[in-house]
Amino acid sequence: MSEPNARLNPLPALIFSSRWLQLPLYLGLIVAQGVYVFLFLKELSHLVTDITTLNEQQVMLLVLGLIDVVMISNLLMMVIVGGYETFVSRMRLDRHPDQPEWLSHVNASVLKVKLAMAIIGISSIHLLKTFIEAGTLDGVPLCGTSAAFAAAKDALAANYVGATCSKVTATGVMWQTVIHTIFILSALGIAWTDKVMTGSSKRESHAH
């Protein structure tokens, strides 16, 4: 039985220490987290200051945008905390009152499943926003086209302040739905594979 604190040979020690090269990556994700906090506050300020001029659909889209930012931020925290704990070093949060419940049993497989579920949640928000915007497709030209510029010119002449073009198309909605479905199937595949591998490991342990 090997000693708990046995010294490693130089080459294994070097290879094992190379895990700390991931530290700048996680620090960079913390910076990205700060950027999303700024973006959230910016969108929230826009929602509060323009509340008197926004209609119900515009408010709903802004709120969905805020939820989207929060879910991406949650995904970042999952990658930062779970990834550091799994691949770099233990943070020893066992007795900390704010330790996330999922961190106590996190490993590479659990982290993959949780990340897949988080991506599905983010994709769902984007798809819902697209469906809401798609409700105005009838008779509204696609942004960036000559018809959109003409519609904007007519709206300016008529002092119309609403949307004069759309950023989504029927084809775009279809492909976004297909991609979302692929995300769901991929997450189910990852979860099923993890369950099969975990079951196999338990059976091997009982056999021994």
Side-chain angles (χ1 to χ4, degrees), residues 19-33 76-89 111:
R19 72 192 190 280
W20 288 103
L21 291 174
Q22 293 190 23
L23 181 59
L25 307 181
Y26 293 111
L27 294 178
L29 289 180
I30 294 175
V31 175
Q33 182 88 295
L76 281 171
M77 280 308 302
M78 210 175 295
V79 174
I80 294 169
V81 178
Y84 183 88
E85 175 85 7
T86 303
F87 300 109
V88 180
S89 179
L111 191 60

Side-chain angles (χ1 to χ4, degrees), residues 38-48 62 65-66 69:
F38 175 78
L39 179 62
F40 181 90
L41 295 176
K42 179 182 175 182
E43 291 296 318
L44 181 62
S45 174
H46 176 49
L47 175 63
V48 172
L62 283 172
L66 294 177
V69 171

Side-chain angles (χ1 to χ4, degrees), residues 147-160 164:
F149 289 120
K153 184 177 179 181
D154 293 340
L156 183 61
N159 292 325
Y160 175 71
T164 58

Side-chain angles (χ1 to χ4, degrees), residues 2-14 16:
S2 60
E3 298 180 11
N5 297 319
R7 287 178 60 94
L8 295 174
N9 291 328
L11 183 57
L14 175 63
F16 186 58

Side-chain angles (χ1 to χ4, degrees), residues 66-77:
L66 294 177
I67 296 173
D68 184 35
V69 171
V70 171
M71 295 189 73
I72 294 176
S73 181
N74 290 341
L75 177 61
L76 281 171
M77 280 308 302

Side-chain angles (χ1 to χ4, degrees), residues 2-145:
S2 60
E3 298 180 11
N5 297 319
R7 287 178 60 94
L8 295 174
N9 291 328
L11 183 57
L14 175 63
I15 294 173
F16 186 58
S17 298
S18 67
R19 72 192 190 280
W20 288 103
L21 291 174
Q22 293 190 23
L23 181 59
L25 307 181
Y26 293 111
L27 294 178
L29 289 180
I30 294 175
V31 175
Q33 182 88 295
V35 172
Y36 269 100
V37 171
F38 175 78
L39 179 62
F40 181 90
L41 295 176
K42 179 182 175 182
E43 291 296 318
L44 181 62
S45 174
H46 176 49
L47 175 63
V48 172
T49 55
D50 296 343
I51 188 64
T52 56
T53 60
L54 297 173
N55 58 38
E56 182 181 358
Q57 180 181 357
Q58 291 171 326
V59 170
M60 189 181 302
L61 288 173
L62 283 172
V63 171
L64 287 175
L66 294 177
I67 296 173
D68 184 35
V69 171
V70 171
M71 295 189 73
I72 294 176
S73 181
N74 290 341
L75 177 61
L76 281 171
M77 280 308 302
M78 210 175 295
V79 174
I80 294 169
V81 178
Y84 183 88
E85 175 85 7
T86 303
F87 300 109
V88 180
S89 179
R90 296 291 182 186
M91 291 189 286
R92 295 177 176 83
L93 298 175
D94 296 337
R95 298 180 182 178
H96 197 285
D98 295 328
Q99 179 194 11
E101 182 273 335
W102 54 270
L103 191 60
S104 59
H105 53 271
V106 71
N107 55 43
S109 297
V110 172
L111 191 60
K112 278 193 299 184
V113 174
K114 288 189 174 294
L115 291 180
M117 297 306 297
I119 291 172
I120 289 174
I122 294 169
S123 177
S124 299
I125 295 296
H126 280 265
L127 189 60
L128 181 57
K129 288 172 64 177
T130 300
F131 283 158
I132 293 173
E133 292 178 355
T136 61
L137 279 176
D138 292 337
V140 179
L142 184 66
C143 291
T145 61

